[in-house]
Amino acid sequence: MAEHEEKKHEESFIEKIAEKIHGHDSSSSDSDEDKPSESSIQAKIFRLFGREKPVHHVFGGGKPADILLWRNKKVSAGALGVATVIWVLFELVEYHLLTLVCHLLILALALLFLWSNALQFINKSAPHIPEVQIPKEPVSEFALALRFEINRSFAVLRDIASGRDLKKFLSVIAGLWVLSIVGSWCNFLTLFYIVFVLLHTVPVLYEKYEDKVDPFAEKAMHEIKKQYAVFDAKVLSKILRGPLKEKKKD
């Protein structure tokens, strides 16, 4: 009898454990079903300019991207510092390019000449001045890349001038108009320096605060599309209907 009661007790204990395990599995499966999948969450996230890759990959993922996103702070700060010095020399000090190049060469040649003679005077070997040559491969790659971009720009301009896409035509005209206004405010060097500074500040700030910027950009894009739809309905559609009516009359 005692052994029979112990067997019943063990069987009831095992059944309780099995029920707890089954209940835990069912609750976990229900919770997993209630949770949205990661793919669906990522699909709902708005990213600026419709990008799907990180900012580092958008900029090419190489050394230029490391410099723009301050992966190597010394190199990035050095590039920004050199650009600032050049801008100060040409804009604030009003140095001319030819004058600056000649003065730098005079200073470098004078220092090297005096250093070489001073070492010979104290019976020491002359300093080793490295031989500087421009490598062929980087120059060829840069020329090919520049040629490709120029040809692509010509193709885009040709496509716009053909009159196929009114939206693209208006956006390019507006962009060129804004650029002409900015060009009237400052010269090319100042404009280039402003763009250089923006490239070294805006991407890294966006990468740091992209979770806050993207929702605001989504609202702004939605509002722009809404305003463009109104403009299209009231203005652009009437402009396009005019030539069509004339063709039907003919």
Side-chain angles (χ1 to χ4, degrees):
M1 293 292 291
E3 291 178 359
H4 184 66
E5 290 178 359
E6 287 179 1
K7 285 181 181 180
K8 284 185 178 180
H9 181 70
E10 289 176 359
E11 288 176 358
S12 62
F13 181 73
I14 293 171
E15 288 176 359
K16 289 181 181 179
I17 294 175
E19 288 177 359
K20 287 183 179 180
I21 294 174
H22 181 69
H24 178 72
D25 291 339
S26 62
S27 61
S28 61
S29 62
D30 293 336
S31 62
D32 291 337
E33 289 176 359
D34 294 335
K35 290 181 180 178
S37 62
E38 293 182 359
S39 60
S40 63
I41 292 174
Q42 291 177 355
K44 294 179 181 178
I45 295 176
F46 175 86
R47 292 301 181 190
L48 198 61
F49 305 117
R51 64 180 181 86
E52 297 179 355
K53 298 179 181 179
V55 181
H56 190 267
H57 287 247
V58 173
F59 283 99
K63 290 183 179 179
D66 293 340
I67 294 173
L68 294 176
L69 296 175
W70 293 75
R71 295 290 191 270
N72 191 337
K73 294 183 179 180
K74 292 182 179 179
V75 177
S76 301
L80 191 59
V82 170
T84 303
V85 169
I86 292 173
W87 180 78
V88 168
L89 287 174
F90 287 115
E91 287 298 317
L92 300 183
V93 185
E94 295 183 353
Y95 244 112
H96 297 286
L97 178 62
L98 184 60
T99 305
L100 178 63
V101 171
C102 291
H103 285 179
L104 290 175
L105 287 174
I106 290 170
L107 180 63
L109 290 173
L111 289 175
L112 290 172
F113 181 81
L114 292 174
W115 186 27
S116 299
N117 283 276
L119 290 176
Q120 291 178 3
F121 182 75
I122 58 177
N123 296 324
K124 286 190 176 182
S125 60
H128 175 69
I129 300 175
E131 185 178 356
V132 179
Q133 290 183 349
I134 298 175
K136 182 180 178 180
E137 292 182 359
V139 175
S140 300
E141 291 177 359
F142 176 77
L144 291 174
L146 182 62
R147 173 179 170 274
F148 175 76
E149 293 297 332
I150 292 174
N151 289 335
R152 189 171 67 172
S153 301
F154 284 153
V156 172
L157 292 175
R158 181 177 178 274
D159 184 60
I160 293 170
S162 64
R164 299 173 184 173
D165 193 346
L166 181 60
K167 182 179 178 182
K168 187 183 292 185
F169 170 76
L170 292 176
S171 62
V172 170
I173 294 298
L176 291 174
W177 181 66
V178 171
L179 189 62
S180 66
I181 293 175
V182 174
S184 64
W185 294 341
C186 57
N187 57 20
F188 179 75
L189 181 62
T190 302
L191 182 61
F192 179 80
Y193 177 69
I194 292 172
V195 173
F196 191 84
V197 172
L198 290 176
L199 285 174
H200 279 76
T201 52
V202 174
V204 66
L205 290 175
Y206 170 70
E207 186 183 36
K208 187 176 181 180
Y209 300 105
E210 60 179 340
D211 293 335
K212 298 180 180 179
V213 174
D214 286 338
F216 178 78
E218 184 179 10
K219 295 178 181 179
M221 290 297 295
H222 181 69
E223 187 64 28
I224 290 171
K225 289 180 180 178
K226 187 191 297 183
Q227 296 299 327
Y228 177 78
V230 175
F231 180 73
D232 186 21
K234 293 183 178 180
V235 180
L236 297 182
S237 59
K238 295 179 180 179
I239 294 174
L240 293 174
R241 285 173 188 170
L244 291 174
K245 289 181 179 179
E246 291 178 0
K247 287 182 179 180
K248 287 181 179 179
K249 289 179 181 180
D250 294 338

